[in-house]
Amino acid sequence: MPQRAQWRLESLLDSSAPLCLALALVILSLTGVGNVKTASLAGLILCGAGLTRETARTDLWVLVPLMVYDLAALASSWAAYGNIVDGYGAMHGLFPVLYLLASCLDSREQRLLRSCCLLWAGAAAVAGIGRFAFQVIVQGWAIRMSGLLGNPNAMGIFLVMGWFLLMHCDEEDRRPGLLRLEPVLLMALALTLSMGSFAAMAAGIMVLLLEKKQNASWRETVRFICPVLARAVLGVGTGLLTYLAAARTGVPWLCLLPLAYGGAAAAGWGSFRRWLNARPPMALLIASAGFLVAAAAVAVRPSAAATFSERLEMMASGLRYLPAEPLWGVGPLQWRLLDLNDGGKYFNTWHIHNIPLHVGVEMGWIAMAAIVLAGLRGLGRKQSPPLRAGTAAFLFHNLMDTSFFYLGITALALTAESQPEAGGRTLGGRAVKAVFALFGLLFLYSLYFDFR
């Protein structure tokens, strides 16, 4: 074998763990909330990759609560159904496995993983835009883009997290080619018309602003944030124009014009970014148009206010059942049935749109405390500002939606966005292998139980 080919093969084999994580992200994104078979098979592959690693540098204040949460979820399933597979515990065993395997990666592997995840987010955005255009041109109707994740709200927060990940990758590696994905991600986000995702995006931008202000003057902070807002305004605004042209003009094919503009913007996005940085007044002017873009988004989807009101009703219902079974909860997938049997309002969902509350109701207070602790630690720990912003967006979204239960979204938060090695503690090979072996046994048993 030629020396160069042998080096490439060895390099590929050395990158097996980040490639396994990236492949798992792709698979889990396509399965939505998931199923036992897919989650268990993915978990076995990840555990197999983890058993080859010798050490991990991880934050135990995230890893241990994730494990406690999963144990509590398994106990909740046992209490409700007499087994540990029916429910969420068997599938959510992926979460500590994903986090620990990401902790095993060195800096080169971390960069490879983030690049792969960003490319997948970009591919999902391109596929979503293409499907939207096909539906409009060929089938003659325009609806909110649900994308590869199958739900507009889930797709929206996935794209928001991809946008913050792109910012980090740009700071880390300075690869101009990746910047062309930014307008694509933002246009696709606009086509989801997910108000919760827009709000989560705003929360992430606020975190970026506060992070910058800690080490800079207000003048420098404004000069930093205005180009970010200006890029968001142009990308999201182009996406909204695309939707309006398809849905409100009576001539659906007109959406091709703003799409073509978006393609041209992507081709010259690097020059546009440099222009914004060189002309702060113009960046401020474009950023100020964000109020018009936000108003347009609300006007396009006026039903969002009623949806938010309904979510508050779900939370009120959840609060009534929170004290019912504090230890293990009422059981997975039981809240909706209990609420209907007690004469509650019909909600077309199985999940309270507030993840800590839903976990507390169905899986108990131990699981709720563990997941809250992991989330707060993930937000408060040391990491790059864009990744902290992406974490903040994910956590904020889960206070009013259900993205935690979409395995691909949480996988992205726990791997590419988490930086588990920053400020973590080094675990030896025995401890690392023991954790992967235990969860591997869980996944094997789950497969056996599901197939029998």
Side-chain angles (χ1 to χ4, degrees):
M1 181 182 293
Q3 185 175 1
R4 175 170 292 186
Q6 182 178 1
W7 178 83
R8 288 178 177 174
L9 178 60
E10 291 175 353
S11 178
L12 182 62
L13 292 175
D14 289 341
S15 302
S16 59
L19 292 178
C20 283
L21 283 168
L23 178 61
L25 174 65
V26 172
I27 294 171
L28 297 175
S29 300
L30 297 174
T31 58
V33 296
N35 57 74
V36 173
K37 291 185 179 69
T38 302
S40 298
L41 287 171
L44 285 172
I45 293 172
L46 296 173
C47 287
L51 288 172
T52 66
R53 314 301 287 197
E54 294 300 327
T55 60
R57 186 165 184 81
T58 190
D59 190 335
L60 295 180
W61 286 100
V62 176
L63 178 63
V64 173
L66 287 174
M67 295 174 67
V68 170
Y69 160 75
D70 194 58
L71 289 173
L74 292 171
S76 176
S77 295
W78 180 270
Y81 302 113
N83 65 77
I84 62 172
V85 177
D86 292 330
Y88 300 110
M91 293 188 293
H92 289 185
L94 281 169
F95 297 159
V97 169
L98 286 162
Y99 190 79
L100 182 58
L101 185 56
S103 305
C104 295
L105 307 184
D106 59 31
S107 58
R108 179 189 65 83
E109 292 172 321
Q110 287 280 359
R111 288 196 297 273
L112 174 60
L113 172 63
R114 292 190 184 103
S115 297
C116 290
C117 292
L118 178 57
L119 290 173
W120 170 240
V126 171
I129 293 172
R131 183 179 179 183
F132 176 85
F134 175 82
Q135 289 175 336
V136 170
I137 302 303
V138 177
Q139 299 175 340
W141 47 280
I143 60 173
R144 297 170 61 199
M145 189 192 81
S146 57
L148 298 178
L149 276 74
N151 180 282
N153 296 329
M155 189 67 189
I157 188 59
F158 188 79
L159 294 169
V160 168
M161 294 167 66
W163 183 54
F164 287 117
L165 179 60
L166 182 144
M167 290 187 198
H168 172 79
C169 290
D170 178 45
E171 290 183 359
E172 191 175 47
D173 289 341
R174 297 290 180 183
R175 284 179 283 179
L178 290 177
L179 297 181
R180 295 187 177 92
L181 291 177
E182 187 169 32
V184 178
L185 293 169
L186 293 169
M187 288 174 62
L189 169 63
L191 292 176
T192 66
L193 289 177
S194 172
M195 298 298 112
S197 298
F198 289 144
M201 181 182 183
I205 292 174
M206 183 60 66
V207 169
L208 273 181
L209 178 67
L210 295 176
E211 286 269 344
K212 184 67 177 179
K213 182 60 185 71
Q214 288 181 355
N215 303 305
S217 65
W218 273 113
R219 180 183 179 85
E220 293 171 328
T221 303
V222 171
R223 286 178 64 94
F224 163 77
I225 206 65
C226 280
V228 175
L229 294 173
R231 300 196 308 266
V233 165
L234 183 62
V236 173
T238 304
L240 286 175
L241 287 175
T242 301
Y243 184 88
L244 287 170
R248 302 295 176 87
T249 63
V251 187
W253 61 264
L254 283 177
C255 72
L256 295 178
L257 298 179
L259 279 179
Y261 174 79
W269 199 250
S271 299
F272 177 64
R273 287 172 61 112
R274 290 190 294 271
W275 180 80
L276 287 174
N277 292 330
R279 292 170 174 80
M282 292 304 300
L284 176 61
L285 179 63
I286 298 174
S288 300
F291 293 104
L292 298 176
V293 173
V298 173
V300 171
R301 190 167 172 241
S303 61
T307 300
F308 181 72
S309 175
E310 185 179 57
R311 294 180 184 188
L312 291 178
E313 293 181 56
M314 291 182 206
M315 296 176 201
S317 170
L319 287 172
R320 292 198 302 269
Y321 293 100
L322 188 60
E325 295 288 345
L327 189 57
W328 307 127
V330 299
L333 301 174
Q334 294 299 303
W335 159 74
R336 187 188 188 201
L337 298 177
L338 289 172
D339 188 62
L340 287 173
N341 289 334
D342 291 341
K345 179 179 178 179
Y346 175 81
F347 299 114
N348 190 27
T349 177
W350 289 92
H351 301 97
I352 302 169
H353 281 51
N354 180 292
I355 292 305
L357 180 57
H358 181 87
V359 169
V361 170
E362 291 201 341
M363 287 169 266
W365 292 12
I366 296 175
M368 178 174 63
I371 210 67
V372 168
L373 177 59
L376 291 177
R377 177 62 177 177
L379 182 62
R381 64 192 305 276
K382 180 180 179 182
Q383 55 184 325
S384 78
L387 293 185
R388 189 193 300 275
T391 300
F394 171 73
L395 295 174
F396 184 86
H397 193 261
N398 279 291
L399 294 178
M400 54 185 173
D401 214 302
T402 62
S403 51
F404 174 78
F405 285 99
Y406 283 81
L407 297 180
I409 298 175
T410 304
L412 181 63
L414 291 173
T415 55
E417 301 250 1
S418 66
Q419 273 190 310
E421 77 286 358
R425 176 179 175 180
T426 301
L427 297 181
R430 289 184 179 179
V432 170
K433 287 178 170 57
V435 173
F436 284 123
L438 287 173
F439 278 98
L441 291 175
L442 170 64
F443 295 132
L444 277 174
Y445 175 77
S446 299
L447 275 178
Y448 164 76
F449 184 90
D450 202 54
F451 275 108
R452 69 185 177 87

